[in-house]
Amino acid sequence: MISFLITLAVFLFMECVTWLTHKFVMHGFMWYFHEDHHQPKYANIFERNDVFFIIFAIPSILLFYFGVEGGINYLFFIGLGITIYGFCYFMIHDVLIHQRFKWFKNTKNPYLIGLRKAHKVHHKHLGKEKGECFGMLFVPFKYWKI
């Protein structure tokens, strides 16, 4: 039970980490890597922005590595929470919103439509300043209205 609670707590906490990282790192000193993601059309199948997948995977990999030393410990479940959040982020951001894979194109779910609206508002700003809606899974209620 405690392992489930650790995984769930880390998963929920990752939304805060995402918001802070997106606002202050990706729209801050690492804007160089994120900038192409805010351009209307992508020149290649991959973006410089994809480097963040690698950067954000490193803590999970290390936590899994140290979390299985001498038997599975709490570090493993912290890594698991981060990994599950990362998978959900990929499915929401890259699949549902940006349609890098053409799955779930015609959803009528108000939450998923709200996610798309909030992210569209985030992308209306092409520069690193004056952004909004930096989180991923939490959608302000004003975007839930269809």
Side-chain angles (χ1 to χ4, degrees):
M1 183 64 170
I2 192 71
S3 56
F4 171 76
L5 292 176
I6 291 171
T7 303
L8 179 62
V10 169
F11 177 86
L12 295 173
F13 181 69
M14 284 305 297
E15 182 69 6
C16 299
V17 172
T18 296
W19 192 94
L20 291 168
T21 304
H22 192 178
K23 181 164 178 67
F24 296 110
V25 175
M26 297 168 82
H27 279 251
F29 68 95
M30 294 188 88
W31 174 250
Y32 170 78
F33 293 110
H34 190 59
E35 182 178 12
D36 66 341
H37 183 65
H38 278 264
Q39 300 310 308
K41 295 190 178 198
Y42 312 123
N44 302 307
I45 191 166
F46 292 107
E47 308 167 7
R48 280 192 313 260
N49 185 59
D50 292 334
V51 76
F52 290 110
F53 281 110
I54 297 166
I55 292 170
F56 296 143
I58 291 171
S60 292
I61 293 167
L62 292 173
L63 287 162
F64 281 134
Y65 177 79
F66 291 110
V68 295
E69 268 192 330
I72 295 178
N73 61 48
Y74 71 97
L75 295 175
F76 177 87
F77 296 103
I78 293 172
L80 184 61
I82 294 171
T83 299
I84 293 171
Y85 184 87
F87 176 76
C88 290
Y89 188 100
F90 169 77
M91 292 300 290
I92 295 295
H93 183 261
D94 290 278
V95 175
L96 179 75
I97 295 172
H98 288 288
Q99 292 287 302
R100 289 177 89 172
F101 301 93
K102 306 296 181 198
W103 309 330
F104 314 116
K105 289 175 63 173
N106 300 316
T107 184
K108 296 188 185 312
N109 181 293
Y111 170 73
L112 297 177
I113 292 170
L115 279 171
R116 281 182 171 156
K117 284 181 183 175
H119 203 73
K120 188 174 181 176
V121 167
H122 175 76
H123 275 274
K124 78 177 183 182
H125 304 283
L126 299 179
K128 71 179 198 178
E129 306 295 334
K130 299 180 182 176
E132 54 191 299
C133 297
F134 288 97
M136 182 49 56
L137 301 179
F138 172 75
V139 180
F141 292 114
K142 66 182 179 183
Y143 298 112
W144 284 58
K145 298 173 187 163
I146 296 177

